[in-house]
Amino acid sequence: MKTAEIAEKMGLKLLTDGLAEDAEVTDGCVCDLLSWVMARGEAGMAWITVQTHLNVIAVACLHDFACVIVPENIEVPQATIDKAKEEGVVIYSSPKTSYAVCCELCRLGIGG
C-alpha cells in the first residue's frame, strides 16, 4: 500500500508538503532508540517515533524508509521538516498514540 493511501485511511497530516507520497509501505517499525532502528530497519518501513530531531532523517535515509509517522501531534521542528524535504523523507503527524498507529497499520494489512 502506498503512503498516500495509508495517510488518507488513517487521517495522517503530511508535514513535508510537496514530496511525493508514492512509496510502498511493506512493514512497520515503532521505536525511539535510534541505534535499535539503525540495526533493525529495512527499506519500505513506516517508522513510528516520538523523536523529532535531525538524526531521525538520517536514519530514515539510511534504510530508505517509506515514511516517518510522529504520534500524539508532537511538534516537529522546522529544521527537521526542511531536512526531510531536502532528503525526500515523507513525515506524517498523527493525533493518536504510537500504539494506536501501529494497530491501524496492522488493520490495513501492513506487517504482522
Side-chain angles (χ1 to χ4, degrees):
M1 187 175 297
K2 303 283 186 186
T3 52
E5 187 177 359
I6 288 172
E8 181 181 334
K9 290 181 181 211
M10 293 177 56
L12 302 176
K13 178 183 175 188
L14 178 64
L15 299 183
T16 49
D17 295 327
L19 289 185
E21 298 175 81
D22 58 358
E24 188 73 25
V25 179
T26 56
D27 206 349
C29 173
V30 57
C31 186
D32 300 318
L33 186 60
L34 273 64
S35 59
W36 187 274
V37 177
M38 286 174 60
R40 290 165 178 79
E42 296 178 10
M45 286 183 158
W47 178 21
I48 300 98
T49 181
V50 300
Q51 299 289 348
T52 61
H53 49 77
L54 289 172
N55 291 339
V56 168
I57 306 311
V59 173
C61 288
L62 175 69
H63 289 298
D64 196 23
F65 285 155
C67 63
V68 174
I69 303 172
V70 179
E72 299 187 35
N73 286 328
I74 297 169
E75 186 175 339
V76 178
Q78 190 61 47
T80 300
I81 293 169
D82 292 344
K83 186 64 174 175
K85 287 181 178 181
E86 181 182 315
E87 298 294 336
V89 175
V90 172
I91 302 176
Y92 293 110
S93 177
S94 173
K96 298 178 179 164
T97 66
S98 295
Y99 177 76
V101 171
C102 291
C103 289
E104 285 194 43
L105 287 172
C106 283
R107 276 193 285 277
L108 292 174
I110 305 299

